[in-house]
């Protein structure tokens, strides 16, 4: 038995055979159902040779082994005297901590809404610039029409929020939007003296708000499931929509509306207290310095509800939006420092590209493409962003519109507040220059090695010049590429199983990213392993925790041993069915033998076709 000693150690550290109720495996990990979790010595297990990581959650106790886990599992169940179980775990609904579940929901809800918010914010900046320069008058019809876009986005924000979060909360998007539209209608929004069923309703302004509609949509999702359970199927089409609306509206007006407004007021009170006691400059400085870490952890959107609440209550945001802009500019400065320091033309192109992207307010390519690899730029941004944020905080810089990045700077002069604009410009200049200087002085960690490699090649002209060969991997599906760090699975997002990317699919076809051989097709059809002639091992993991679906919604076209070419169909997946079953449909593509190569470089985030290059492997 090849893994006997390894399995004996696992059994001992997990609390002995008697503590193991069941053990199954998926593509990369052993999943234990334990009688007593407290008996498991997690830290000792993490230190074992052959164990990548240990994850304990409400579903199971998971020991991440790698793609050879099936061999380990086969020997383990023999040693335990258990029957050869299927790869599926018992169907257990994952229960998150309420606070984490709420933060995840807010972050996921805000992501699609950011697009119209950015458009309205930038428009506000341009309108401020036009009025400052005299191109437009604030009373002109053109100004009024264009400004109506900005006003409409924020007035009807509850409708956008309802559309964004409805599916995540098992509610009908159309009914959620109808409820939100009702709340912002002239009959209800900020109207005094309303009552329902003889109960007096408090006067509430639902326009520009976001918390009441999130709570209302959550309730709508619960009510929808309840009605589907008890209303006969032949009546559901007619009865459910009207019952949902006539129940959700009063409950929202009586309960969720006031609760949402109180939460918003509470947040405003907390930060006002912080401002009056310590000064908001502390929070602004820290956020400007550490925002790249939050983005890397997938928490970059957590500040958006807070900023929206500030703008709604105070007319401006004194902390987060200015800090976000200063941090983005510092990221751009750090990349400029690396651009000036680099001698390699490919590096210069990379640093220059991500520097321009960051100065326009999109820092993910820099953070995931450069910061994670070189690490020292984090220090440069902490220096530049921190100093710039400190200056902005001490000068009480205010952000009047929901906008960030260089293009949003004119909005800081709204209400003819030119001093505010001046201080903000000084802040971003400080952040940019300080981060650029810091990055230049800190240097590029791998530069010396690359220089030595070039010198060696010059000294040995007979050496094969193309020893640094690149292998491109093409996308496995049409959709949106996201950094691996944003994937909601710890084993993959930490890079423990290799470098790679995530894809949010927009089509139901999964194709091969390379020419090679199919090494394994998992029995539940949710994972496929490929190997190229160069030895690159590619794992395509379709969805997160979809092993629990036991192959439902998956139709695999290939089998182990098949030869495939790039672009060849591997599987078709009903992703809507996967989402309806409550699972994340993100496709994860990782190079499981990453350590065998010089580097694995992901392409920048954004839209993908199935023919687009998504990873580059440096041999």
């Amino acid at each position: 038995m090849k893994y006997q000693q390894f399995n004996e150690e696992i059994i001992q550290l997990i609390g002995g055979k008697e503590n193991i109720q069941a053990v199954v495996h998926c593509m990369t990990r052993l999943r234990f159902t334990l009688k007593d979790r407290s008996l498991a010595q997690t830290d000792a297990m993490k230190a074992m040779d052959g164990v990548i990581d240990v994850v304990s959650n409400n579903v199971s106790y998971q020991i991440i082994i790698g793609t050879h886990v099936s061999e380990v599992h086969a020997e383990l169940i023999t040693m335990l005297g258990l029957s050869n179980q299927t790869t599926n775990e018992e169907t257990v609904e994952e229960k998150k901590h309420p606070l984490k579940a709420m933060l995840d929901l807010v972050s996921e809800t805000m992501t699609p809404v950011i697009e119209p918010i950015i458009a309205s914010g930038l428009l506000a900046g341009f309108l401020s610039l036009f009025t400052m320069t005299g191109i437009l008058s604030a009373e002109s019809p053109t100004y009024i029409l264009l400004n109506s876009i900005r006003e409409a986005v924020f007035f009807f924000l509850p409708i956008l929020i309802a559309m964004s979060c409805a599916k995540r909360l098992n509610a009908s998007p159309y009914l959620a939007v109808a409820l939100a539209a009702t709340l912002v209608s002239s009959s209800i929004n900020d109207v005094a003296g309303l009552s329902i069923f003889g109960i007096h309703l408090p006067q509430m302004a639902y326009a520009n708000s976001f918390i009441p509609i999130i709570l209302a949509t959550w309730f709508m999702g619960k009510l929808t499931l309840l009605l589907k359970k008890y209303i006969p199927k032949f009546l559901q089409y007619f009865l459910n929509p009207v019952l949902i609306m006539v129940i959700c509206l009063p409950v929202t007006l009586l309960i969720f509306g006031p609760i949402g407004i109180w939460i918003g007021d509470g947040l405003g009170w907390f930060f006002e207290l912080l401002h009056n006691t310590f000064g908001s400059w502390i929070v602004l400085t820290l956020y400007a310095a550490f925002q790249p870490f939050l983005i890397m952890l997938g928490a970059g959107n957590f500040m958006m509800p807070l900023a929206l609440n500030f703008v709604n209550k105070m007319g401006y945001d004194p902390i987060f939006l200015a800090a976000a802009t200063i941090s983005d500019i510092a990221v751009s400065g750090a990349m400029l420092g690396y651009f000036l320091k680099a001698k390699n033309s490919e590096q210069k192109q990379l640093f220059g590209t991500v520097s321009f992207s960051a100065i326009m307010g999109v820092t993910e390519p820099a953070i995931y493409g450069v910061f994670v690899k070189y690490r020292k730029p984090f220090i440069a941004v902490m220096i530049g962003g921190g100093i710039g944020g400190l200056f902005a905080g001490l000068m009480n810089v205010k952000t009047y519109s929901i906008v960030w990045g260089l293009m949003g700077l004119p909005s800081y002069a709204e209400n003819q507040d030119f001093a505010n604009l001046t201080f903000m410009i000084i802040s971003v200049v400080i952040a940019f220059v300080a981060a650029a200087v810091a990055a230049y002085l800190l240097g590029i960690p791998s530069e010396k090695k690359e220089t030595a490699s070039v010198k060696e090649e010059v000294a040995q002209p007979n050496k094969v010049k193309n020893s640094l060969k690149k292998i491109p991997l093409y996308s496995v599906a049409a959709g949106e590429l996201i950094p691996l760090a944003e994937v909601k699975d710890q084993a993959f997002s930490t890079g423990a199983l290799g470098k790679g990317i995530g894809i949010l699919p927009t089509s139901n076809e999964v194709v091969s990213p390379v020419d090679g051989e199919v090494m394994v097709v998992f029995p539940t059809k949710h994972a496929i392993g490929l190997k190229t002639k160069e030895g690159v091992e590619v794992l395509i993991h379709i969805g997160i925790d979809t092993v629990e679906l036991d192959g439902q919604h998956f139709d695999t076209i290939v089998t182990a041993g098949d030869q495939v070419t790039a672009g060849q169909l591997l599987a078709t997946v009903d992703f809507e069915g996967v989402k309806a079953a409550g699972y994340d449909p993100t496709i994860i593509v990782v190079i499981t033998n990453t350590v065998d190569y010089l580097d694995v470089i992901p392409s920048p985030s954004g839209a993908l076709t199935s023919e687009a290059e998504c990873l580059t492997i440096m041999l």
Side-chain angles (χ1 to χ4, degrees), residues 455-527:
K455 287 181 179 178
E456 183 182 352
E457 188 171 341
V458 171
Q460 302 178 40
N462 294 328
K463 213 174 174 186
V464 179
K465 289 187 178 180
N466 63 350
S467 57
L468 291 178
K469 185 180 178 183
K470 298 179 183 178
I471 298 177
L473 258 74
Y474 299 97
S475 179
V476 300
E480 181 184 354
L481 185 150
I482 62 171
L484 191 64
E486 290 185 9
V487 170
K488 296 168 186 168
D489 184 297
Q490 184 178 343
F492 288 108
S493 62
T494 58
L497 295 170
K499 292 185 178 181
I501 52 137
I503 298 173
L504 304 176
T506 56
S507 72
N508 289 340
E509 294 187 345
V510 178
V511 301
S512 174
V514 293
D515 296 342
E517 181 182 356
V518 179
M519 303 304 295
V520 61
V521 177
F522 208 64
T524 51
K525 305 177 183 179
H526 76 292

Side-chain angles (χ1 to χ4, degrees), residues 47-62:
M48 286 177 57
D49 289 338
V51 172
I52 297 172
D53 200 1
V54 177
V55 177
S56 179
N57 58 34
N58 290 341
V59 177
S60 60
Y61 190 89
Q62 305 172 20

